[in-house]
Short mmCIF file of all heavy atoms in Angstrom, two decimals:
data_model
loop_
_atom_site.label_atom_id
_atom_site.label_comp_id
_atom_site.label_asym_id
_atom_site.label_seq_id
_atom_site.Cartn_x
_atom_site.Cartn_y
_atom_site.Cartn_z
N ASP D 16 2.83 2.20 -7.87
CA ASP D 16 3.50 1.04 -8.56
C ASP D 16 4.02 -0.04 -7.64
O ASP D 16 4.65 -0.94 -8.08
CB ASP D 16 4.58 1.54 -9.43
CG ASP D 16 5.79 2.16 -8.57
OD1 ASP D 16 5.56 2.48 -7.46
OD2 ASP D 16 6.84 2.27 -9.20
N ASP D 17 3.61 0.02 -6.37
CA ASP D 17 4.09 -0.97 -5.44
C ASP D 17 3.50 -2.35 -5.79
O ASP D 17 2.22 -2.51 -5.81
CB ASP D 17 3.63 -0.58 -4.04
CG ASP D 17 4.26 -1.45 -2.89
OD1 ASP D 17 4.23 -2.71 -3.05
OD2 ASP D 17 4.70 -0.92 -1.88
N GLN D 18 4.38 -3.33 -6.08
CA GLN D 18 3.81 -4.63 -6.54
C GLN D 18 3.15 -5.38 -5.45
O GLN D 18 2.52 -6.40 -5.67
CB GLN D 18 4.89 -5.42 -7.21
CG GLN D 18 6.13 -5.75 -6.38
CD GLN D 18 7.21 -6.44 -7.16
OE1 GLN D 18 6.98 -6.69 -8.41
NE2 GLN D 18 8.26 -6.75 -6.56
N TYR D 19 3.30 -4.99 -4.18
CA TYR D 19 2.70 -5.74 -3.06
C TYR D 19 1.63 -5.00 -2.41
O TYR D 19 1.26 -5.18 -1.19
CB TYR D 19 3.77 -6.08 -2.04
CG TYR D 19 4.94 -6.86 -2.73
CD1 TYR D 19 6.21 -6.32 -2.85
CD2 TYR D 19 4.78 -8.18 -3.22
CE1 TYR D 19 7.21 -6.98 -3.41
CE2 TYR D 19 5.79 -8.93 -3.76
CZ TYR D 19 7.06 -8.26 -3.87
OH TYR D 19 8.11 -9.01 -4.47
N ILE D 20 0.92 -4.14 -3.10
CA ILE D 20 -0.01 -3.19 -2.59
C ILE D 20 -1.14 -3.95 -1.89
O ILE D 20 -1.63 -3.54 -0.84
CB ILE D 20 -0.53 -2.21 -3.74
CG1 ILE D 20 -1.08 -0.97 -3.15
CG2 ILE D 20 -1.48 -2.92 -4.64
CD1 ILE D 20 -1.18 0.11 -4.13
N ASP D 21 -1.62 -5.02 -2.50
CA ASP D 21 -2.74 -5.77 -1.86
C ASP D 21 -2.37 -6.42 -0.54
O ASP D 21 -3.18 -6.30 0.44
CB ASP D 21 -3.31 -6.89 -2.88
CG ASP D 21 -3.90 -6.26 -4.07
OD1 ASP D 21 -4.47 -5.10 -3.98
OD2 ASP D 21 -3.91 -6.98 -5.15
N ALA D 22 -1.19 -7.00 -0.51
CA ALA D 22 -0.71 -7.58 0.80
C ALA D 22 -0.54 -6.53 1.80
O ALA D 22 -0.90 -6.68 3.01
CB ALA D 22 0.55 -8.29 0.60
N LYS D 23 -0.15 -5.32 1.43
CA LYS D 23 0.18 -4.22 2.38
C LYS D 23 -1.19 -3.63 2.89
O LYS D 23 -1.28 -3.28 3.99
CB LYS D 23 1.08 -3.18 1.74
CG LYS D 23 2.48 -3.64 1.59
CD LYS D 23 3.33 -2.62 0.94
CE LYS D 23 4.79 -3.18 0.78
NZ LYS D 23 5.73 -2.23 0.21
N ARG D 24 -2.12 -3.56 1.96
CA ARG D 24 -3.47 -3.10 2.32
C ARG D 24 -4.08 -4.09 3.40
O ARG D 24 -4.58 -3.59 4.36
CB ARG D 24 -4.35 -2.96 1.11
CG ARG D 24 -5.72 -2.50 1.40
CD ARG D 24 -6.70 -2.58 0.24
NE ARG D 24 -6.11 -2.44 -1.06
CZ ARG D 24 -5.90 -1.28 -1.69
NH1 ARG D 24 -6.32 -0.11 -1.14
NH2 ARG D 24 -5.38 -1.21 -2.86
N ARG D 25 -3.99 -5.32 3.15
CA ARG D 25 -4.51 -6.33 4.06
C ARG D 25 -3.83 -6.23 5.52
O ARG D 25 -4.46 -6.27 6.51
CB ARG D 25 -4.35 -7.80 3.53
CG ARG D 25 -5.46 -8.13 2.56
CD ARG D 25 -5.50 -9.60 2.17
NE ARG D 25 -4.17 -10.09 1.62
CZ ARG D 25 -3.68 -10.00 0.41
NH1 ARG D 25 -4.43 -9.46 -0.51
NH2 ARG D 25 -2.56 -10.51 0.07
N PHE D 26 -2.47 -6.07 5.37
CA PHE D 26 -1.72 -5.90 6.63
C PHE D 26 -2.23 -4.69 7.49
O PHE D 26 -2.44 -4.78 8.65
CB PHE D 26 -0.22 -5.76 6.30
CG PHE D 26 0.62 -5.32 7.43
CD1 PHE D 26 1.06 -6.28 8.31
CD2 PHE D 26 1.00 -4.03 7.61
CE1 PHE D 26 1.88 -5.93 9.39
CE2 PHE D 26 1.80 -3.58 8.72
CZ PHE D 26 2.25 -4.57 9.53
N CYS D 27 -2.39 -3.61 6.81
CA CYS D 27 -3.00 -2.43 7.45
C CYS D 27 -4.35 -2.62 7.98
O CYS D 27 -4.61 -2.23 9.14
CB CYS D 27 -2.98 -1.23 6.49
SG CYS D 27 -1.36 -0.58 6.18
N GLU D 28 -5.20 -3.36 7.30
CA GLU D 28 -6.57 -3.64 7.73
C GLU D 28 -6.52 -4.47 9.06
O GLU D 28 -7.24 -4.20 10.00
CB GLU D 28 -7.38 -4.30 6.62
CG GLU D 28 -7.80 -3.41 5.48
CD GLU D 28 -8.39 -4.09 4.32
OE1 GLU D 28 -8.49 -5.37 4.35
OE2 GLU D 28 -8.71 -3.45 3.33
N GLU D 29 -5.65 -5.46 8.96
CA GLU D 29 -5.47 -6.36 10.15
C GLU D 29 -4.99 -5.62 11.35
O GLU D 29 -5.25 -6.05 12.55
CB GLU D 29 -4.49 -7.48 9.83
CG GLU D 29 -4.98 -8.50 8.80
CD GLU D 29 -3.93 -9.46 8.29
OE1 GLU D 29 -2.81 -9.42 8.86
OE2 GLU D 29 -4.23 -10.18 7.33
N HIS D 30 -4.24 -4.61 11.27
CA HIS D 30 -3.53 -3.89 12.35
C HIS D 30 -4.02 -2.47 12.64
O HIS D 30 -3.44 -1.82 13.38
CB HIS D 30 -2.06 -3.97 12.10
CG HIS D 30 -1.51 -5.32 12.08
ND1 HIS D 30 -1.27 -6.05 13.24
CD2 HIS D 30 -1.08 -6.13 11.09
CE1 HIS D 30 -0.79 -7.29 12.94
NE2 HIS D 30 -0.71 -7.31 11.62
N GLY D 31 -5.09 -2.16 11.92
CA GLY D 31 -5.64 -0.83 12.21
C GLY D 31 -4.78 0.37 11.85
O GLY D 31 -4.81 1.44 12.44
N ILE D 32 -4.11 0.20 10.74
CA ILE D 32 -3.12 1.22 10.28
C ILE D 32 -3.83 1.88 8.91
O ILE D 32 -4.27 1.10 8.11
CB ILE D 32 -1.80 0.63 9.88
CG1 ILE D 32 -1.14 0.06 11.10
CG2 ILE D 32 -0.95 1.76 9.30
CD1 ILE D 32 0.10 -0.84 10.83
N GLU D 33 -3.82 3.12 8.92
CA GLU D 33 -4.35 3.85 7.73
C GLU D 33 -3.42 3.55 6.58
O GLU D 33 -2.21 3.61 6.63
CB GLU D 33 -4.40 5.32 7.95
CG GLU D 33 -4.98 6.10 6.80
CD GLU D 33 -5.06 7.65 6.98
OE1 GLU D 33 -4.68 8.11 8.09
OE2 GLU D 33 -5.31 8.35 6.02
N PHE D 34 -4.01 3.18 5.40
CA PHE D 34 -3.26 2.84 4.23
C PHE D 34 -3.41 3.91 3.19
O PHE D 34 -4.52 4.22 2.83
CB PHE D 34 -3.74 1.50 3.66
CG PHE D 34 -2.95 0.98 2.51
CD1 PHE D 34 -1.65 0.50 2.63
CD2 PHE D 34 -3.51 0.84 1.25
CE1 PHE D 34 -0.93 0.01 1.66
CE2 PHE D 34 -2.85 0.38 0.22
CZ PHE D 34 -1.47 -0.01 0.37
N VAL D 35 -2.31 4.55 2.78
CA VAL D 35 -2.33 5.60 1.87
C VAL D 35 -1.45 5.34 0.64
O VAL D 35 -0.27 4.91 0.79
CB VAL D 35 -1.85 6.98 2.50
CG1 VAL D 35 -1.85 8.10 1.49
CG2 VAL D 35 -2.78 7.42 3.64
N VAL D 36 -2.10 5.50 -0.54
CA VAL D 36 -1.34 5.31 -1.79
C VAL D 36 -1.03 6.65 -2.44
O VAL D 36 -1.89 7.49 -2.58
CB VAL D 36 -2.15 4.45 -2.77
CG1 VAL D 36 -1.42 4.27 -4.14
CG2 VAL D 36 -2.49 3.08 -2.19
N LEU D 37 0.24 6.95 -2.67
CA LEU D 37 0.68 8.18 -3.24
C LEU D 37 0.87 7.99 -4.68
O LEU D 37 1.64 7.07 -5.13
CB LEU D 37 2.02 8.65 -2.59
CG LEU D 37 1.86 8.95 -1.05
CD1 LEU D 37 3.29 9.23 -0.50
CD2 LEU D 37 0.97 10.11 -0.81
N GLU D 38 0.30 8.89 -5.49
CA GLU D 38 0.53 8.89 -6.93
C GLU D 38 2.07 9.14 -7.20
O GLU D 38 2.64 10.01 -6.50
CB GLU D 38 -0.34 9.98 -7.59
CG GLU D 38 -1.75 9.63 -7.77
CD GLU D 38 -2.07 8.46 -8.68
OE1 GLU D 38 -1.31 8.32 -9.65
OE2 GLU D 38 -3.04 7.82 -8.42
N LYS D 39 2.57 8.46 -8.10
CA LYS D 39 3.98 8.62 -8.44
C LYS D 39 4.09 9.52 -9.68
O LYS D 39 3.37 9.28 -10.68
CB LYS D 39 4.54 7.24 -8.76
CG LYS D 39 6.04 7.19 -8.70
CD LYS D 39 6.58 5.83 -8.63
CE LYS D 39 7.99 5.82 -8.53
NZ LYS D 39 8.56 4.49 -8.48
N SER D 40 4.95 10.47 -9.61
CA SER D 40 5.23 11.35 -10.81
C SER D 40 6.62 11.02 -11.34
O SER D 40 7.43 10.53 -10.63
CB SER D 40 5.06 12.81 -10.47
OG SER D 40 5.98 13.19 -9.47
N LEU D 41 6.80 11.36 -12.60
CA LEU D 41 8.09 11.09 -13.23
C LEU D 41 9.05 12.04 -12.74
O LEU D 41 8.76 13.27 -12.55
CB LEU D 41 7.99 11.23 -14.77
CG LEU D 41 6.96 10.33 -15.44
CD1 LEU D 41 6.85 10.61 -16.96
CD2 LEU D 41 7.42 8.85 -15.24
N PRO D 42 10.29 11.66 -12.46
CA PRO D 42 11.33 12.50 -11.90
C PRO D 42 11.52 13.84 -12.68
O PRO D 42 11.78 14.81 -12.15
CB PRO D 42 12.57 11.63 -11.84
CG PRO D 42 12.09 10.25 -11.81
CD PRO D 42 10.76 10.31 -12.54
#
């Protein structure tokens, strides 16, 4: 649910950082 997921993915691509998205479960 991260609203900046695309910007963060691009940041990771630019800097060679693995990008992992974790599924969110209800508390």
Side-chain angles (χ1 to χ4, degrees):
D16 67 341
D17 190 313
Q18 62 185 358
Y19 305 110
I20 203 164
D21 292 332
K23 291 177 180 182
R24 182 188 329 270
R25 282 190 304 275
F26 170 80
C27 287
E28 288 169 358
E29 291 169 7
H30 297 284
I32 300 168
E33 181 183 354
F34 186 69
V35 176
V36 178
L37 297 172
E38 285 291 330
K39 196 168 185 181
S40 60
L41 298 174

